[in-house]
Amino acid sequence: MGVPTITATRILKGQLAGKPGEETVLEMDKFPYVALSKTYNTNAQVPDSAGTATAYLCGVKANEGTVGVNAASVRNQCNTTKGNEVDSILKWAKDSGKSVGVVTTTRVNHATPSASYAHSVNRDWYSDNEMPKEAVEQGCKDIAWQLMHNIPDIEVIMGGGRKYMFPKNTPDIEYPNDERANATRLDGLNLTKIWLEKKPANKKAHYVWNRDQLTSLKPQDVDYVLGLFEPSDMLYELERNKTMDPSLPEMVKVAINILKKNPKGFFLLVEGGRIDHGHHEGKAKQALHEAIQMDIAIGLAGEMTSTDDTLTVVTADHSHVFTFGGYTHRGNSIFGLAPTLSDIDQKPFTAILYGNGPGYKLVNSSRENVSTVDFTHNSYLAQSAVPLRQETHGGEDVAIFAKGPMAHLLHGVHEQNYIPHVMGYASCVGQNQNHCRSSSSSHSYKASVTLMTSILTVLSVVLF
């Protein structure tokens, strides 16, 4: 969710409302404090989502591909895990007595959410099925296992990822005839059962796997909820089965209603993760509609909380090589054509383009004439300059938007790992709490934090 994505989403939001689009205001545009985040990993100029998630959740820069461990850990080397684990602001908040939650449109053990609770030298160790035998023998645990054991009392967990929770080849409850949806665990564990069994007898815990089950929950009767709505990542909003899968805003609404019952406050991580996936696939329309859902969720979170006691941070883990230009006129469809032709091949081009990715295509040894195809299709692959199976991340700084207590600490240009320290300082969790005990302080240090990110990237901290 780099700046070009934010701008294009703003235009799309307006155009969906029948306006030209450029003058539209996103919910994040209303935040009074804006900063830039430097996203590089300790070993990468252009980062991946695991190292960046570790930075903005755990407060330390990390190597690409690793989650919840510092830079002394080496990707894929299990024996470099122990002693290099780092805890996240979710753990800091939980240790201080706050309620905590994770909401994502990816699988719940994907890079961004996993950095909040797991310690893994490989972000792709979703279950033990994806781990090398050596790592298992050395005692490393897969990320789904860690979700159920590392911080077993996370109050709210919502997203996709059912297949990683059940014994291998167990048919999926929603897609029993689709072998691709079958479960993957080699250890024979049913992690949803383990999750339920770990809850105190006097607490009400619910495992749900569809929208009706989720929306029928009464927050006053819920202490814990685990919602797994797809075998892997959740479907794009433009493809979502609206009777079976909840939207991101719907998940956020339920999460906040459950978490806000705690008088000590809460931390909520909200990730619009499929913004990233849409870009990787070269499907700009999918990515931008995912970002629209994030915008709706930000607005809803704002309505359900107060800037008097809730710090909300909206940011991204990284950008993409996504751009739009071409001297388009006011009100031109964000998915439309530029008003001029190429100087070389005299063919039209869309305003939206990618620096690399699957949209590179030659017809008769020359660039495809986009006017001969449906470039407004939901899954149209925007043209790219370099052919790649998947489009890559971008390396430039990304925006940070903040409102609420101590939001002014997010200004200027920051290292990405600065972000959780601001959130911890504002909500009096983590190591630096000397200011919280000051009798002369006029600030209320019971603030909730919401972090919203696009795999982007919370409601005590909201990250998109």
Side-chain angles (χ1 to χ4, degrees), residues 72-387:
S73 293
V74 180
R75 187 171 188 174
N76 294 321
Q77 294 186 20
C78 171
N79 60 5
T80 66
T81 307
K82 190 172 183 179
N84 294 319
E85 301 93 339
V86 289
D87 289 332
S88 74
I89 185 172
L90 182 144
K91 180 70 161 50
W92 308 345
K94 170 53 67 173
D95 288 346
S96 73
K98 297 183 187 296
S99 294
V100 297
V102 175
V103 173
T104 180
T105 53
T106 68
R107 64 204 85 174
V108 294
N109 47 352
H110 208 264
T112 293
S114 65
S116 69
Y117 60 80
H119 312 288
S120 178
V121 291
N122 191 323
R123 56 170 287 180
D124 297 327
W125 289 352
Y126 301 121
S127 72
D128 57 349
N129 183 66
E130 290 77 39
M131 297 177 66
K133 182 180 178 181
E134 178 185 51
V136 175
E137 292 174 345
Q138 290 177 354
C140 280
K141 297 295 185 180
D142 64 88
I143 297 172
W145 187 95
Q146 292 189 55
L147 173 60
M148 303 306 174
H149 293 84
N150 286 6
I151 311 177
D153 52 352
I154 296 175
E155 281 82 0
V156 173
I157 304 167
M158 295 186 205
R162 281 194 303 259
K163 66 189 295 184
Y164 307 107
M165 308 297 169
F166 300 95
K168 189 173 178 64
N169 294 326
T170 302
D172 183 73
I173 191 168
E174 186 175 0
Y175 309 102
N177 298 318
D178 185 352
E179 291 187 359
R180 296 171 301 176
N182 286 359
T184 62
R185 299 202 64 80
L186 299 177
D187 57 16
L189 296 178
N190 178 337
L191 292 182
T192 62
K193 182 180 179 181
I194 290 174
W195 180 83
L196 288 167
E197 291 174 344
K198 282 182 171 290
K199 301 300 172 288
N202 63 335
K203 298 292 185 179
K204 298 176 181 178
H206 301 264
Y207 166 59
V208 298
W209 63 269
N210 62 56
R211 181 180 180 273
D212 284 346
Q213 291 176 344
L214 178 70
T215 56
S216 65
L217 293 176
K218 297 179 180 178
Q220 66 271 22
D221 296 328
V222 179
D223 295 303
Y224 301 95
V225 61
L226 170 63
L228 302 175
F229 304 107
E230 284 291 326
S232 185
D233 302 316
M234 296 186 69
L235 301 177
Y236 287 121
E237 176 62 23
L238 292 176
E239 300 170 357
R240 178 170 64 91
N241 182 332
K242 294 178 174 56
T243 62
M244 295 300 293
D245 293 350
S247 66
L248 180 63
E250 287 172 336
M251 292 191 290
V252 168
K253 182 177 181 180
V254 174
I256 295 175
N257 279 329
I258 293 171
L259 296 175
K260 71 179 184 181
K261 296 186 297 180
N262 188 339
K264 293 184 178 181
F266 64 90
F267 172 90
L268 175 62
L269 169 66
V270 178
E271 183 200 19
R274 303 228 66 196
I275 300 171
D276 171 80
H277 293 177
H279 282 321
H280 276 311
E281 294 177 4
K283 299 175 181 177
K285 194 167 189 177
Q286 299 282 9
L288 297 186
H289 276 271
E290 292 297 305
I292 289 287
Q293 290 300 301
M294 176 62 87
D295 182 66
I296 295 171
I298 294 171
L300 177 63
E303 293 172 1
M304 298 180 71
T305 58
S306 169
T307 53
D308 292 339
D309 63 6
T310 302
L311 169 65
T312 303
V313 179
V314 178
T315 189
D317 46 359
H318 54 73
S319 183
H320 279 264
V321 291
F322 163 86
T323 187
F324 71 98
Y327 299 114
T328 47
H329 303 301
R330 274 292 301 274
N332 190 73
S333 169
I334 192 62
F335 304 115
L337 298 174
T340 57
L341 303 178
S342 165
D343 294 337
I344 303 300
D345 60 23
Q346 294 298 300
K347 294 177 181 178
F349 60 96
T350 54
I352 285 176
L353 296 168
Y354 286 99
N356 56 50
Y360 180 93
K361 185 177 181 180
L362 296 178
V363 177
N364 296 324
S365 300
S366 63
R367 186 173 67 91
E368 182 179 49
N369 187 334
V370 296
S371 65
T372 65
V373 300
D374 182 8
F375 52 80
T376 65
H377 189 277
N378 288 351
S379 293
Y380 170 71
L381 301 181
Q383 290 187 334
S384 68
V386 177

Side-chain angles (χ1 to χ4, degrees), residues 1-17 19 21-32 34 275 287-300 302 314 324 334 399 401-403 452 464:
M1 201 177 68
V3 171
T5 296
I6 293 172
T7 307
T9 301
R10 181 186 302 128
I11 293 172
L12 175 59
K13 177 183 179 181
Q15 293 182 346
L16 290 174
K19 301 175 182 179
E22 297 82 5
E23 74 295 334
T24 302
V25 178
L26 291 172
E27 294 298 329
M28 67 188 86
D29 294 340
K30 302 173 185 177
F31 286 33
V34 182
I275 300 171
L288 297 186
H289 276 271
E290 292 297 305
I292 289 287
Q293 290 300 301
M294 176 62 87
D295 182 66
I296 295 171
I298 294 171
L300 177 63
V314 178
F324 71 98
I334 192 62
F401 303 87
K403 67 176 180 179
M452 307 185 103
F464 289 106

